[in-house]
Structure formats: C-alpha cells, structure tokens
Amino acid sequence: MGKSDFLSPKAIANRIKSKGLQKLRWYCQMCQKQCRDENGFKCHCMSESHQRQLLLASENPQQFMDYFSEEFRNDFLELLRRRFGTKRVHNNIVYNEYISHREHIHMNATQWETLTDFTKWLGREGLCKVDETPKGWYIQYIDRDPETIRRQQEQERKKKQDLDDEEKTAKFIEQQVRRGLEGKELEMPVYTELNRENEEEKVTFNLNKGASTSVAASSKTSSVLGQNALKMVEGAVKRKETAHSSGQPKEKKKKSALDEIMELEEEKKRTSRRDYWLQPEIIVKIVTKKLGEKYHKKKAVVKEVIDKYTAVVKVIDSGDKLKLDQTHLETVIPAPGKKVMVLNGGYRGNEGILESINEKRFSVTITIDSGPLKGRRVEDILYEDVSKLA
C-alpha cells in the first residue's frame, strides 16, 4: 500500500498529533526525534541511525552535555529577556512557555536535574536575581546590555539636567524681581484728620488727584506683590539648598562600644534569610533514600562546603565520605546544655548553648557564647536554623 497523500485525512491527523507536546520518556535528544508510543521508541532505539549517534556520543559525552546545557541556558534566558524583561516572575511560568516550543532542548539532556537546580545556578552565576518564597522560586533577569546601560545613564543625566534648569529658572526670577525693586522705597501711607479750617469754605473734590492717588495706590500694591514674590522665590531657593545640604553626610561622632553592639544587632536582624545554611563542623542527618538503607537516617559531620549548596560529609558510624546537596540533609537538635551553631537568620554564624526546646512551636532557646553578643539569650529560633556542633 502506498504512502498517504499529503492532504488525506490520515496525513492531516498525523501532522496534528505530531504538532503538540508528547511524553518526554519517548523523546531521543541525540537524534532529536519524538516518538508517540513505547513501541515507536523501541523501534527507534534499535535503528541504525540511533546506534551511530550513540557511538558518537560515547566518544566524548561531556562535550555533548555542555553543548545541550549551553543551548538550553541561552534559549531560556532569551525567552526570559524578550518575554518578561526585568520583571520578577515565577520560574515555572517561564519554563512552561519555553517547553511549549516543539524543538526545545530538554532538561534531562543538560547538566541540571531539576528546574530548582537550574534556578539556583542562575543566581550563583549572577545572570538573574533569584529568591525563594512559599509559592516557589522567583527569578528576575539582569539586563547587562550596553545599549540598555547607556539608555539608563542618558535618562539619569536628563533628569539631573531638568533639576538644574529649575534651579536656574528660580534664580533668574529672583534676579528679575530684585532688579525691578531697586531704587524704589515703599511709601507708607500717612493718615490725617479731616478738619476744615474755615467754616465758610466750600468742600471741593479734585478727580485728577483721585486718579493719581489710585495710580500711586496701584504702584504701591504692585511693589508689595513684588516683595511677596521675592519672598516666595527666596523660600523656594532656601528649601532646595536645605534639601541638598541634608543629602550631604554629616560628621560622624565617635560611638561607644554599647552603640556599636546595638547597631551590629540591628544589622543582623535586618539581614534577610538565605536559601543556603550549610556550615563546616556541624552534625547533620542524611534523609535521602537514593543512597540506600546503609546511609538513610545516619548522622554525619560536614567537612567542607562547596558552592554554598553542596557539602562533603563524613558518616560518623562508618567513616565514609559523601558529597550531598543540602536538600538531602537536615539539622540535628541536641539535648539541652550542648553546643549548637546558628545557621540562618539574624544571628547566623554564632555559636551558643542550647537552653530549652519548645516542641509546640518547633523552636529552641539558646545563649550565645561567642562574638560581641556573648551572653545574650535568644528565643524562638526554628529547628532548621540551628544544628549541633561536632
């Protein structure tokens, strides 16, 4: 039987089916071929072209993985830059738009296992601003394009120039008002009683005098208005000068030791929580089951921290050394009276003595015994923020 015509219903149906996304487990990244079912994928794996691609990949697998990783990163960042710009957006929204393109590079062919690992990598490399929330990870693209930087500098320069123009206009108005008032003195009105010396003298009104009096009064009014305008301009100039002077740093007074300790404590409280908590020489518990029952729920000592999120740990029972991510580990809370280290929050990096455990609030109370805050009692520190010291 011959091949179906291009416009036949069967050919059209096949094209409609192949247009959408298919299951990832039936996709071959090396051959860039998407199969529709398990039988088709099995036939493809047995084909000669697929075997040739596997032979090529086996010669230098790292080169192929680096190529796929670079393509995935470039396409993902290009979509993030073009679609969302420098807005803060959930990483899963960007990823769903990225995989909607049928010819995209799949993540299982790259060096990143999950989208969370890729998001953390973007933050460590400085390509995006990343932060973790209860709803997931959010990313924000950092635009380092020279044209964008030049445009931002141009906007700042224009804004500064507009402020300078306003100051120049205010000074010009002040000069004009002062120049108009030079040589003119304010005439204070003199009030006299209306007395008639001669009783037989007739009372007469001179209209021209009245007109001249009104002109004089109008000139006085204009001079008073001019002085009020001068005062307003002077007040505006003084306010601007005060604002500029307030922006200048004042002379720092010598601080006492107590003030420095209080400022240090306030700075630590203002410090935001971080998404990594590993520290050397702390005791942790292995919670992953991927290593088998031999290491599950075993305690280990952190010997070295790699890239903030990965650590080399030494199992206490067997002495084996393992390289694990922090998601495969959890903190260990000792008995009261033992030494612990704060791993996250405002008091991060301080060692202390465990005073009590609050099981209802999943928190502990410690007394710091190192650094400038030695002797301070800190309450309501979460379980995951402290761990036992080796």
Side-chain angles (χ1 to χ4, degrees):
M1 185 175 179
K3 192 174 182 181
S4 300
D5 186 29
F6 180 77
L7 297 177
S8 64
K10 183 177 181 180
I12 295 174
N14 289 338
R15 287 198 299 275
I16 292 174
K17 290 178 182 178
S18 63
K19 185 178 181 181
L21 291 175
Q22 305 292 326
K23 290 188 177 181
L24 183 59
R25 60 177 176 174
W26 297 330
Y27 180 80
C28 177
Q29 183 66 62
M30 289 300 302
C31 304
Q32 298 182 359
K33 180 175 177 60
Q34 175 70 62
C35 300
R36 295 183 193 169
D37 51 22
E38 188 175 358
N39 185 38
F41 186 71
K42 181 180 178 181
C43 294
H44 169 72
C45 292
M46 296 171 61
S47 64
E48 184 181 355
S49 61
H50 179 74
Q51 297 296 329
R52 286 199 302 268
Q53 291 292 337
L54 289 184
L55 289 175
L56 290 174
S58 62
E59 293 178 359
N60 195 352
Q62 189 63 35
Q63 180 181 0
F64 283 90
M65 181 175 290
D66 293 343
Y67 171 75
F68 290 138
S69 301
E70 185 178 359
E71 289 293 321
F72 178 82
R73 180 199 65 190
N74 293 337
D75 294 343
F76 188 91
L77 290 177
E78 178 63 23
L79 174 64
L80 178 63
R81 183 190 65 82
R82 187 180 66 251
R83 175 69 174 80
F84 300 98
T86 56
K87 295 181 181 179
R88 182 173 174 268
V89 63
H90 200 284
N91 61 350
N92 204 33
I93 296 177
V94 186
Y95 182 71
N96 287 334
E97 288 200 17
Y98 172 76
I99 64 175
S100 63
H101 182 56
R102 187 168 178 266
E103 303 297 333
H104 71 277
I105 301 293
H106 292 267
M107 185 175 285
N108 60 357
T110 65
Q111 63 184 4
W112 305 286
E113 295 181 0
T114 61
L115 181 60
T116 302
D117 294 339
F118 178 64
T119 304
K120 292 179 180 178
W121 183 87
L122 289 176
R124 289 194 297 268
E125 295 295 323
L127 299 174
C128 296
K129 295 179 181 177
V130 300
D131 60 306
E132 186 181 12
T133 64
K135 295 183 179 180
W137 286 86
Y138 282 81
I139 57 178
Q140 184 178 0
Y141 181 72
I142 301 176
D143 195 352
R144 291 192 173 89
D145 185 24
E147 182 63 24
T148 304
I149 297 174
R150 186 195 63 78
R151 189 162 54 248
Q152 292 176 354
Q153 293 177 351
E154 185 67 26
Q155 291 177 355
E156 292 178 358
R157 186 163 56 251
K158 185 177 179 182
K159 185 177 180 180
K160 185 178 180 182
Q161 185 177 359
D162 292 341
L163 293 176
D164 294 341
D165 292 342
E166 290 180 3
E167 293 179 1
K168 289 179 181 178
T169 305
K171 289 182 179 180
F172 178 74
I173 294 174
E174 179 187 1
Q175 292 176 358
Q176 292 293 328
V177 173
R178 286 180 177 175
R179 188 178 301 170
L181 294 177
E182 283 181 358
K184 294 183 179 180
E185 296 182 358
L186 293 178
E187 298 179 2
M188 298 301 294
V190 179
Y191 302 98
T192 58
E193 294 182 2
L194 183 60
N195 295 326
R196 189 165 56 174
E197 297 177 358
N198 189 2
E199 294 293 336
E200 297 179 358
E201 185 180 358
K202 295 181 180 180
V203 178
T204 58
F205 296 96
N206 194 341
L207 296 179
N208 293 333
K209 270 191 175 181
S212 63
T213 307
S214 62
V215 171
S218 63
S219 64
K220 291 179 183 178
T221 306
S222 63
S223 63
V224 172
L225 290 176
Q227 277 201 348
N228 292 337
L230 177 60
K231 291 180 180 178
M232 291 174 63
V233 173
E234 288 179 351
V237 173
K238 286 181 180 178
R239 283 196 298 272
K240 287 188 177 181
E241 291 178 353
T242 306
H244 284 299
S245 63
S246 62
Q248 297 176 355
K250 297 181 180 179
E251 295 181 358
K252 295 184 178 179
K253 297 182 179 179
K254 191 175 181 180
K255 301 176 183 177
S256 63
L258 180 61
D259 294 338
E260 292 180 356
I261 292 175
M262 293 178 64
E263 286 187 0
L264 180 62
E265 184 177 357
E266 291 178 358
E267 182 66 25
K268 286 191 175 184
K269 288 182 180 179
R270 288 195 298 268
T271 305
S272 59
R273 294 178 58 83
R274 302 174 184 175
D275 57 346
Y276 55 89
W277 53 267
L278 291 172
Q279 293 284 349
E281 301 303 325
I282 62 172
I283 297 178
V284 293
K285 183 185 291 185
I286 302 174
V287 295
T288 180
K289 294 183 179 180
K290 294 182 180 180
L291 303 177
E293 295 297 332
K294 180 181 178 182
Y295 299 109
H296 184 54
K297 296 294 183 181
K298 298 294 182 181
K299 294 183 180 179
V301 180
V302 177
K303 292 297 182 182
E304 183 183 358
V305 179
I306 304 173
D307 294 335
K308 298 180 182 179
Y309 300 92
T310 310
V312 177
V313 300
K314 182 179 180 181
V315 182
I316 296 177
D317 294 342
S318 60
D320 298 339
K321 288 189 176 182
L322 305 173
K323 184 178 180 181
L324 298 173
D325 190 81
Q326 71 175 12
T327 55
H328 300 153
L329 304 169
E330 69 176 16
T331 59
V332 175
I333 305 300
K338 300 291 185 179
K339 294 196 67 174
V340 294
M341 175 180 283
V342 183
L343 307 177
N344 214 335
Y347 299 94
R348 176 186 177 95
N350 287 307
E351 299 179 3
I353 304 297
L354 182 64
E355 298 292 339
S356 61
I357 301 175
N358 190 343
E359 297 181 356
K360 294 182 179 179
R361 303 181 66 175
F362 303 100
S363 63
V364 297
T365 300
I366 68 169
T367 300
I368 299 175
D369 64 346
S370 66
L373 300 177
K374 185 176 181 180
R376 179 174 293 276
R377 182 184 174 90
V378 184
E379 300 179 352
D380 292 334
I381 299 182
L382 300 178
Y383 283 170
E384 59 267 22
D385 289 348
V386 295
S387 188
K388 182 179 178 182
L389 274 172

